[in-house]
Amino acid sequence: MYTPPFTISAEAINKIADISRLIERYAIRMEQEDALMLRKANKIKTIHSSLAIEGNTLDEEQVRDIVNGKTVVAPIRQIQEVKNAIATYEQFPHLDAFKESDLLRAHGIMMQALVDNAGQYRRGGVGVFSESGCVHIAPPADRVPYLMADLFEWLSGSSDHLLVRSCVFHYEFEFIHPFADGNGRMGRLWQSLILSRLHPVFEHLPVENMVYANQQQYYDAITASSNAADSGPFIDFMLGEIQKTLEAHKREPIKKVPNKIPNKVPNKLLQAFPEIQSITWSVYLQIAANGHLTTMKMAEILGISDRMVRKHINTLKAKGLITRIGSNKTGHWEVNKI
């Protein structure tokens, strides 16, 4: 089996130990009552930062508006980039970090309507350029399928720590530059996806926001690894970014969000359905207040995805708590009397 060249420094070993400790503290942080708002805020930061690194000029507020379905006046391509990123990150729970086919599928979503060959490896040569000129010539296009197959075989078969594997994959991915466009945002997405195998909190940890704040050091680390023919410098850099991100978020103050659900959902319902989660009751309350609300509008109000709203609605429907009146397009929901 092919093994990418990398060295694990003493610094990296110390960071892995510290990150492992911080992950559990962040996981506890994500169980607090404002976690839904924090996850949504982190999602917006992640999308904004990853695209900003690639030259998208929309600010965080504009990205938030697009996430919330609002109209934004901006270049069409940049809006499309944000919409594609939203759709791709919505697929996060359904993507397998170890499947090459899922990488191609995710690229197809991320680059839809932006490139002609979205979801396919490049068919021509590419290089990475800076103001001073070309800094990297990627391997020939005919080698890309073999290089990527080797990389995925190593990723799934290696016994190295997932923190290390995620960094090595990220660097090797950028070195191969398998796509005609979108390599940067896909490399960062895939590292987060690999890390989510280590712990689910990495789905909501905006490492990319930290990379954006240290963009030059990110590129310097890639260059240093290329010059050394060893991804060790990049491993050190990315582990440092993950460590700093976890440190920053463990100190975030908890926004006190009053729990109004027990005051609005009748006690008899809470007692009859103790298995129903608080967020599901929140969807129930939105329907009780206005059965004509769309799932997208409820998602905006509650700070969760449209897909999750539909999931909670299905739970309520299965429990006999709500009924759909009329068609899916023109009908509305009604709360059943229990």
Side-chain angles (χ1 to χ4, degrees):
M1 181 179 71
Y2 168 76
T3 300
F6 64 92
T7 303
I8 303 176
S9 66
E11 178 186 2
I13 293 172
N14 290 334
K15 287 177 179 175
I16 289 170
D18 199 34
I19 288 169
S20 299
R21 173 182 61 82
L22 290 167
I23 285 173
E24 294 308 317
R25 295 190 65 172
Y26 186 70
I28 294 172
R29 172 69 185 86
M30 293 304 292
E31 292 175 358
Q32 302 301 317
E33 55 189 314
D34 67 334
L36 281 173
M37 290 188 295
L38 182 59
R39 283 197 289 269
K40 183 175 182 180
N42 287 352
K43 175 183 176 182
I44 292 167
K45 287 181 181 179
T46 296
I47 292 171
H48 168 258
S49 298
S50 189
L51 295 179
I53 293 170
E54 304 302 322
N56 189 298
T57 61
L58 299 188
D59 60 30
E60 199 171 305
E61 188 62 35
Q62 289 173 305
V63 171
R64 180 179 293 105
D65 285 344
I66 295 173
V67 169
N68 291 333
K70 296 180 181 179
T71 301
V72 172
V73 178
I76 295 176
R77 180 182 176 85
Q78 296 198 10
I79 293 175
Q80 185 67 44
E81 285 182 334
V82 174
K83 289 182 176 179
N84 287 359
I86 294 168
T88 307
Y89 279 92
E90 287 289 335
Q91 288 297 309
F92 200 100
H94 309 294
L95 295 171
D96 187 337
F98 295 161
K99 284 188 177 179
E100 188 177 2
S101 58
D102 277 15
L103 174 76
L104 294 170
R105 179 163 64 89
H107 184 265
I109 300 171
M110 184 74 82
M111 302 307 293
Q112 181 183 10
L114 298 175
V115 295
D116 293 333
N117 57 344
Q120 301 175 35
Y121 291 139
R122 58 183 168 87
R123 297 172 186 150
V126 296
V128 180
F129 296 86
S130 68
E131 293 180 358
S132 59
C134 182
V135 295
H136 173 60
I137 295 295
D142 61 356
R143 294 288 303 150
V144 169
Y146 304 101
L147 293 171
M148 291 303 298
D150 285 345
L151 184 57
F152 269 97
E153 182 183 11
W154 169 80
L155 175 66
S156 59
S158 172
S159 59
D160 291 292
H161 197 288
L162 271 171
L163 280 166
V164 173
R165 276 188 277 169
S166 73
C167 296
V168 173
F169 184 95
H170 188 165
Y171 168 75
E172 290 289 331
F173 180 90
E174 300 304 341
F175 181 86
I176 297 168
H177 239 59
F179 300 111
D181 195 9
N183 293 287
R185 64 199 78 174
M186 286 300 302
R188 291 184 290 274
L189 166 69
W190 220 253
Q191 177 163 17
S192 294
L193 193 64
I194 296 169
L195 288 171
S196 70
R197 285 291 192 101
L198 178 64
H199 200 291
V201 297
F202 282 102
E203 181 180 350
H204 308 291
L205 183 71
V207 174
E208 290 165 311
N209 197 46
M210 300 292 283
V211 172
Y212 175 52
N214 300 282
Q215 191 171 343
Q216 188 55 53
Q217 293 95 315
Y218 172 73
Y219 288 123
D220 289 346
I222 291 177
T223 301
S225 290
S226 296
N227 291 339
D230 184 305
S231 57
F234 188 75
I235 293 172
D236 289 342
F237 171 78
M238 285 305 303
L239 290 180
E241 294 306 296
I242 294 169
Q243 182 186 38
K244 286 189 291 185
T245 304
L246 286 166
E247 284 279 4
H249 282 271
K250 79 173 186 181
R251 292 192 297 266
E252 281 190 350
I254 299 174
K255 298 175 182 177
K256 295 297 181 180
V257 180
N259 182 10
K260 298 179 180 179
I261 292 176
N263 298 327
K264 291 188 177 181
V265 178
N267 286 331
K268 67 175 183 179
L269 290 183
L270 295 174
Q271 294 169 1
F273 302 96
E275 71 280 9
I276 293 182
Q277 300 175 344
S278 294
I279 185 59
T280 308
W281 284 124
S282 295
V283 173
Y284 174 87
L285 292 174
Q286 292 297 323
I287 292 172
N290 183 357
H292 292 273
L293 283 178
T294 64
T295 56
M296 185 175 294
K297 186 61 179 177
M298 281 189 273
E300 178 184 345
I301 294 170
L302 298 173
I304 60 177
S305 69
D306 178 66
R307 178 178 60 83
M308 290 305 297
V309 170
R310 292 196 297 271
K311 177 182 176 182
H312 294 303
I313 284 177
N314 286 336
T315 298
L316 294 169
K317 185 179 177 182
K319 298 291 184 181
L321 291 167
I322 59 174
T323 300
R324 184 70 181 178
I325 306 298
S327 68
N328 289 334
K329 188 174 182 180
T330 61
H332 65 279
W333 291 101
E334 285 188 1
V335 170
N336 296 330
K337 293 182 178 180
I338 302 296

